[in-house]
Amino acid sequence: MHFKHVIAAITAIFTLTVAPLARAADYPKQPVRLVVGFSPGSTIDLVSRIIAEGLSRKLNANFVVENKTGANGILAATAVAQAKPDGYTLLVSNSSSITVNPILYKKLGYQPLEDLAPISTVLSVPFVLAINPQNPRTKNINSVKDLVNKAKAEPDKVTYGSAGNGNLMHLAGAQLATMSSTQMVHIPYRGAAPMETALLSQEIDFGFDTLSGVHLMKSGKLKPLAVSTKERWRDLPDVPAVAETGFPDFDISFWVGTFAPAGTPPEIIELLNREIAAVVQDPEIKNRLMPQGNILTQSSEEFISKIKTELGTNSELIMRANIKVEE
């Protein structure tokens, strides 16, 4: 081979090797949108804003949160799935949008592992089963047993809210009804914050609230009856797990994770995964995230495996509880 050809071949190989690194090194050159499918004030919204602030500082760029609410996160996930795969439009989602919607909805604008590229989980979050102690219908309820007994005495009268049809709040309420052999009425809202407002205004009897409602529980505006995971929540040490109240197999939580459109360059996915993992360990950021849940970061491969597992688990839960939604 002529010497010039050898040099050209070496140069081509070198270019192919360093080009991805250069592309990642140049990222981001412009503001990055973090699209959130749930309302301002929700756990996902709060976490998104904390992460956006941390990434903005770390990468010297603007990461901006954009709320696109409705349909249990479907609108936001669809928008990101259809966005240009250049790393400048990302999704911050809860597990409901990713591991429940594809099971419940036949007409979905995205498939999580085909149209989205998982980046990393950020948090794992329990729910807290709560009632309003000022509500005449629930003022005498002091335990999960009391709530179940009321539901047995009043079939199809006890109501619970959620952040939307198919949201894991919905599944948690349906799971409790199924395990207790009771008929309870589900009322969907456009996010966790509106559901919480409905609980405070006595529109519904109970709800599996997110940890953003803990301050309302500590102030006495809401009464926590149980935590949805098998472990108690550190900020509510006297509140039992549902599993301790006669339902040993009850264990439901949700995660908050980040995604890019499918086709986003792998080096950008890797960069974001690495930077998110670093951001959540920053002492200031960590202290702000801890009240919202347990910090959980994974590689994109581990995240993909987690999604596949939960799609199977949730499919079984939905079938047992006979949960259906109108499209």
Side-chain angles (χ1 to χ4, degrees), residues 241-310:
V242 176
E244 298 176 62
T245 67
F247 306 99
D249 294 330
F250 196 101
D251 185 14
I252 294 180
S253 60
F254 72 95
W255 43 256
V256 177
T258 52
F259 298 80
T264 298
E267 62 273 13
I268 290 180
I269 299 293
E270 291 167 11
L271 182 149
L272 287 167
N273 178 281
R274 184 171 63 249
E275 297 300 338
I276 289 170
V279 161
V280 299
Q281 293 304 325
D282 175 271
E284 180 200 343
I285 297 293
K286 190 173 184 177
N287 286 338
R288 291 168 63 190
L289 286 174
M290 289 295 281
Q292 305 301 326
N294 294 311
I295 291 174
L296 172 68
T297 54
Q298 299 174 300
S299 68
S300 57
E301 292 79 13
E302 289 171 330
F303 193 10
I304 289 168
S305 178
K306 183 178 182 64
I307 290 168
K308 289 179 179 177
T309 298
E310 290 189 12

Side-chain angles (χ1 to χ4, degrees), residues 36-54:
V36 179
F38 297 89
S39 55
S42 64
T43 295
I44 303 166
D45 176 73
L46 293 171
V47 170
S48 300
R49 293 179 189 280
I50 294 169
I51 295 299
E53 184 180 321

Side-chain angles (χ1 to χ4, degrees), residues 90-110:
L90 307 177
L91 174 70
V92 184
S93 176
N94 65 8
S95 40
S96 296
S97 302
I98 305 300
T99 64
V100 178
N101 285 350
I103 302 167
L104 285 177
Y105 294 90
K106 294 178 181 178
K107 299 175 183 177
L108 200 61
Y110 64 95

Side-chain angles (χ1 to χ4, degrees), residues 210-255:
T210 62
L211 297 179
S212 61
V214 167
H215 71 287
L216 295 170
M217 300 170 199
K218 289 187 173 182
S219 69
K221 292 182 178 179
L222 294 179
K223 180 191 290 185
L225 300 184
V227 178
S228 68
T229 49
K230 291 198 173 183
E231 300 79 28
R232 297 188 180 195
W233 178 242
R234 55 180 170 265
D235 289 340
L236 297 170
D238 297 328
V239 178
V242 176
E244 298 176 62
T245 67
F247 306 99
D249 294 330
F250 196 101
D251 185 14
I252 294 180
S253 60
F254 72 95
W255 43 256

Side-chain angles (χ1 to χ4, degrees), residues 50-72:
I50 294 169
I51 295 299
E53 184 180 321
L55 288 173
S56 294
R57 288 204 302 256
K58 201 155 191 319
L59 294 175
N60 194 30
N62 288 325
F63 283 73
V64 182
V65 173
E66 177 184 311
N67 297 90
K68 194 175 184 66
T69 64
N72 195 33

